[in-house]
Amino acid sequence: MTNPLLTDWQTAFRLPPFATITDADFAPAFDAAMQDGRAAYAAIADNPDAPTFANTIDAMERADDLLDRVAGVFFNLSGSDSNPAREALQRDLSPKLSAYSSEIVNNRKLFDRIETLWTNRDQLDLNAEQARVLMLYRRMFVRAGAALDGADAVRLTDVKSRLASLGTQFTQNLLADERDWMMVLDDLAGLPDFVIATAKAAAQERGHDGHLVTLNRSLIVPFLQFSTRRDLREKAYQAWTARGANGGETDNRAIAAEILALRRERANLLGYVNFARYKLETEMAGTPDAVRDLLMQVWAPARAKAMADAARLEAMLHADGYDGPLEPWDWRFYAEKLRRAEHDLDEAALKPYLSLENMIAAAFDCANRLFGLEFRALDVPLYHPDARAWEVTRNGQHMAVFIGDYFARGSKRSGAWCSTMRSQRKLGGDVRPIVVNICNFAKGDPALLSYDDARTLFHEFGHALHQILSDVTYGLISGTSVARDFVELPSQLYEHWLEVPEVLARHARHVDTGAAMPQDMLHRLLAAQNFDQGFATVEYVASALVDLEFHDGPPPADPMQKQAQVLEGLGMPRAIRMRHATPHFAHVFSGDGYSSGYYSYMWSEVMDADAFEAFREAGSAFDAQTAQNLERFILSAGGRDEAEALYTAFRGRMPGVDAMLKGRGLAA
């Protein structure tokens, strides 16, 4: 039978034919796609004609079309709906795809053609986008080792292959730990109805009666906030923070150490003193010192705020009759009590106004008011019953298909992310994207979100807008293909619209009655925006600094010891842990995306705080001209220019850290 992954998809919007794809189709499809790609690159490299932009760069842009199509389906499924067959295939594919990539960048004839174009670039009559794409291709090849010869080239290929395998193993170990742990909950003391319902749904999903606590963030965090059973909070918290460090075959500590050593070797082979110097060379920050300077500007006020808060929470602990210090499993519980006391804000009363359906509608409505986008629900086959799809249009013109997959399940890795099954480009025809948002919200009937969950939804939809509104010719620079410390700007900026009172007034409506959120609750919610920011900032910055120190120096033989040394040097508050400890720091160890780059959320936050000020200065969160400029210079531009140039074109200057500190309530 014909492999559906390799056919011309005659489906609505050329979506993958999920109904006919089986797991058995993926391996032969990848083999065929890599064979197709090898033939395409060989034809480019062996072309007897002199290199031109068209017969080299344009041709390379299309060489992996089939592989991109197959991989776009598989890797979305392997993250959002894994199973043993997909996990086994991913382990098998990681070194194969790494070897395939190395074959391409190590093809000296191919690199020579790129180098010839680069040398003669001033005579090629390239437009600005073509010049940018040529530079990026050359830089990509050089940084991947194309200029290396002999043993160094062979060793670099081996290192990259091993890193790919280790990243896959790290991810699958973490998924296994998250999937396998559960705690039967016989005592529901203190838990509001929405947590009880979520715990019951978790039990049903896993085939149990009663109630369960799992390691899904949307369940364990409210459990830690509300459960009056301190012993159960401790048990759940210790399991949550021990992910990837439980011994046995899913333990990630030795994997992390090997990854760090191999990254250092990779950087050395390419002529860099360490991996941080290599990685940050192409980012906005540029150097580890610039990253460290930003993070330390934030650390001092954040730690001071957290220490003051810790003293207040510890006093509440003692008032409840517990001796000893405040522990990490106490923080969220007493912070929730303090939030209720200071802001009269009860999450159990708040959540009915933040249903998933209403928050999706809010995200879509803001996109309509800002950018004229419209969303129409689609009835099409998808890869899982929880996934939903919408056609995105503007002025009747098709812009994208957007897929939302919002609920936690055992087959889905933790966290939230945005990806594409197809990216936008105009080379060879107007290709419109298929964009996917993945979240891990607790399933309910109806599904109710915390305010943090709603922010996550807006955050990931900001990434989606970066893909949907992309308007470039070349896929290499499409959508989110920008510097890592710039990629979070659109997502974090979009979070600000959730704070706009008129958005909440319109969409924060009670799930049962349809009544708008009471004005006093709305005011209290917005007034509490910066509550517990000392905690949130400390746990994040500590993670970012540990990531940086892992890579800006000799690789530690024992990453856990190095982690402890960094935290001790910072004076980490006793009752706060890193947001992502090393054994479950997937941002850093599942791949190279955020390695030496976890700081990028804060680097982007400096810009997003300043960017939203542009709307305030214009007098409206929906100012048409400012929205038009945002789309023109950032959201539609992809990577067609350096990130600093794009931001400066939008705002007229680069921002300082003050607006971000003010936004977090940490300004002096």
Side-chain angles (χ1 to χ4, degrees):
M1 295 179 65
T2 302
N3 190 320
L5 288 162
L6 302 176
T7 62
D8 184 25
W9 296 343
Q10 299 297 318
T11 52
F13 308 106
R14 302 179 73 84
L15 284 164
F18 294 110
T20 59
I21 295 171
T22 69
D23 287 341
D25 294 323
F26 283 114
F30 271 106
D31 288 342
M34 284 188 279
Q35 182 178 354
D36 185 79
R38 286 186 175 99
Y41 284 111
I44 299 166
D46 296 334
N47 189 340
D49 296 336
T52 65
F53 195 89
N55 70 19
T56 303
I57 303 301
D58 281 357
M60 288 174 64
E61 276 284 288
R62 294 189 290 261
D64 279 328
D65 280 356
L66 183 57
L67 181 59
D68 289 343
R69 185 170 62 165
V70 175
V73 178
F74 176 75
F75 286 106
N76 272 281
L77 267 60
S78 64
S80 63
D81 192 27
S82 188
N83 60 33
R86 291 169 189 170
E87 290 181 6
L89 180 56
Q90 193 172 6
R91 291 191 295 271
D92 184 54
L93 278 172
S94 292
K96 288 183 178 180
L97 290 172
S98 177
Y100 174 80
S101 176
S102 293
E103 285 178 35
I104 296 166
V105 298
N106 291 337
N107 186 321
R108 183 49 63 106
K109 290 191 290 185
L110 192 60
F111 180 57
D112 286 346
R113 293 181 73 87
I114 297 171
E115 195 72 354
T116 298
L117 293 174
W118 177 250
T119 301
N120 299 319
R121 61 191 180 277
D122 292 338
Q123 287 77 50
L124 298 179
D125 194 27
L126 304 179
N127 62 36
E129 187 172 328
Q130 290 172 322
R132 172 77 172 165
V133 167
L134 174 59
M135 184 279 290
L136 289 173
Y137 264 108
R138 180 182 182 273
R139 187 174 75 180
M140 177 175 67
F141 269 66
V142 171
R143 286 172 56 82
L148 296 181
D149 292 310
D152 285 350
V154 172
R155 178 56 186 162
L156 183 61
T157 296
D158 292 342
V159 165
K160 289 192 290 186
S161 177
R162 179 61 177 161
L163 282 169
S165 295
L166 289 171
T168 296
Q169 187 178 352
F170 188 99
T171 302
Q172 293 186 355
N173 287 349
L174 181 55
L175 177 61
D177 277 6
E178 292 170 345
R179 182 176 55 219
D180 293 345
W181 188 89
M182 65 189 77
M183 180 175 71
V184 176
L185 199 56
D186 294 325
D187 190 340
L188 306 177
L191 299 180
D193 289 345
F194 78 87
V195 180
I196 294 172
T198 302
K200 184 176 180 63
Q204 291 172 342
E205 182 195 0
R206 299 193 181 207
H208 287 258
D209 294 326
H211 303 81
L212 288 180
V213 174
T214 68
L215 298 182
N216 171 256
R217 188 178 187 89
S218 290
L219 175 52
I220 199 166
V221 167
F223 176 77
L224 293 170
Q225 286 177 301
F226 293 106
S227 175
T228 56
R229 285 285 302 274
R230 194 183 190 212
D231 59 329
L232 297 182
R233 295 201 312 268
E234 178 181 2
K235 182 179 179 180
Y237 185 87
Q238 296 286 31
W240 192 32
T241 54
R243 291 168 294 158
N246 290 304
E249 61 183 19
T250 64
D251 197 295
N252 276 332
R253 287 170 288 190
I255 293 175
E258 187 178 355
I259 287 173
L260 292 173
L262 289 172
R263 284 177 179 163
R264 172 64 176 262
E265 184 180 359
R266 176 184 176 185
N268 290 166
L269 285 167
L270 293 168
Y272 297 85
V273 66
N274 60 47
F275 187 79
R277 300 279 169 176
Y278 162 75
K279 184 66 180 295
L280 294 172
E281 180 185 53
T282 59
E283 307 299 333
M284 292 185 75
T287 67
D289 288 342
V291 173
R292 194 175 288 109
D293 178 63
L294 169 67
L295 294 175
M296 293 309 296
Q297 284 187 67
V298 179
W299 175 258
R303 182 183 182 278
K305 181 70 168 63
M307 294 298 286
D309 289 343
R312 300 174 70 192
L313 300 182
E314 188 167 273
M316 296 170 69
L317 173 75
H318 293 164
D320 278 351
Y322 295 105
D323 295 327
L326 182 76
E327 299 289 356
W329 47 89
D330 296 319
W331 191 293
R332 287 176 173 84
F333 178 76
Y334 286 102
E336 179 63 23
K337 292 180 70 172
L338 184 60
R339 184 173 75 145
R340 291 183 67 175
E342 288 194 343
H343 297 284
D344 191 21
L345 200 60
D346 179 359
E347 185 159 317
L350 177 65
K351 289 190 78 164
Y353 293 95
L354 300 175
S355 72
L356 174 62
E357 297 307 311
N358 285 355
M359 292 303 98
I360 293 172
F364 288 177
D365 183 38
C366 291
N368 175 259
R369 296 177 67 185
L370 288 164
F371 310 114
L373 299 177
E374 296 182 335
F375 299 82
R376 178 178 66 90
L378 295 174
D379 183 13
V380 292
L382 295 172
Y383 59 89
H384 191 277
D386 286 346
R388 304 156 65 181
W390 292 264
E391 183 192 9
V392 188
T393 60
R394 180 159 63 182
N395 298 325
Q397 179 181 353
H398 176 75
M399 296 288 289
V401 171
F402 172 70
I403 297 173
D405 184 353
Y406 295 108
F407 296 128
R409 53 180 174 266
S411 62
K412 183 189 288 186
R413 66 178 171 88
S414 61
W417 64 94
C418 177
S419 59
T420 60
M421 292 191 183
R422 182 173 66 227
S423 297
Q424 179 272 330
R425 80 176 189 203
K426 290 189 282 191
L427 183 68
D430 189 14
V431 177
R432 301 310 306 171
I434 302 170
V435 187
V436 187
N437 271 182
I438 306 291
C439 297
N440 268 281
F441 303 142
K443 184 179 283 191
D445 185 21
L448 305 179
L449 306 186
S450 69
Y451 193 68
D452 282 346
D453 287 338
R455 290 178 70 94
T456 296
L457 187 148
F458 268 68
H459 178 101
E460 298 307 332
F461 194 70
H463 282 309
L465 288 174
H466 206 175
Q467 301 281 11
I468 292 167
L469 293 171
S470 179
D471 186 26
V472 297
T473 300
Y474 295 93
L476 182 71
I477 57 170
S478 176
T480 57
S481 300
V482 298
R484 178 62 62 181
D485 46 12
F486 191 64
V487 76
E488 297 298 335
L489 168 61
S491 55
Q492 293 177 183
L493 175 59
Y494 204 66
E495 292 179 32
H496 287 274
W497 273 272
L498 184 60
E499 304 166 2
V500 175
E502 65 181 278
V503 173
L504 288 170
R506 178 182 294 192
H507 295 285
R509 295 187 169 271
H510 197 281
V511 70
D512 293 325
T513 67
M517 181 183 289
Q519 280 296 309
D520 65 325
M521 181 183 284
L522 176 60
H523 293 321
R524 284 183 275 117
L525 173 63
L526 295 177
Q529 287 294 308
N530 290 322
F531 180 78
D532 215 21
Q533 269 300 319
F535 170 89
T537 307
V538 160
E539 66 164 4
Y540 165 77
V541 174
S543 298
L545 284 165
V546 167
D547 167 43
L548 182 67
E549 299 307 328
F550 274 161
H551 296 97
D552 188 29
D558 183 351
M560 300 305 294
Q561 182 182 41
K562 178 67 173 180
Q563 172 185 297
Q565 290 172 349
V566 173
L567 297 179
E568 182 180 3
L570 289 170
M572 184 76 170
R574 185 184 188 282
I576 305 178
R577 303 273 174 88
M578 292 168 60
R579 184 173 178 86
H580 303 289
T582 298
H584 55 262
F585 207 162
H587 281 80
V588 171
F589 293 106
S590 289
D592 280 353
Y594 283 89
S595 54
S596 292
Y598 192 62
Y599 77 92
S600 60
Y601 290 94
M602 185 151 283
W603 192 275
S604 292
E605 189 177 344
V606 171
M607 289 179 285
D608 81 62
D610 179 69
F612 196 67
E613 281 295 316
F615 286 90
R616 289 196 178 103
E617 292 166 7
S620 169
F622 296 97
D623 179 71
Q625 185 60 58
T626 310
Q628 182 179 325
N629 290 342
L630 178 64
E631 178 178 350
R632 176 186 175 191
F633 295 118
I634 295 177
L635 295 177
S636 71
R640 69 161 64 109
D641 207 340
E642 295 293 338
E644 185 169 339
L646 294 174
Y647 189 83
T648 302
F650 167 65
R651 196 69 169 105
R653 52 162 174 73
M654 288 298 293
V657 73
D658 294 345
M660 185 269 290
L661 289 174
K662 179 182 176 182
R664 283 186 174 240
L666 300 175

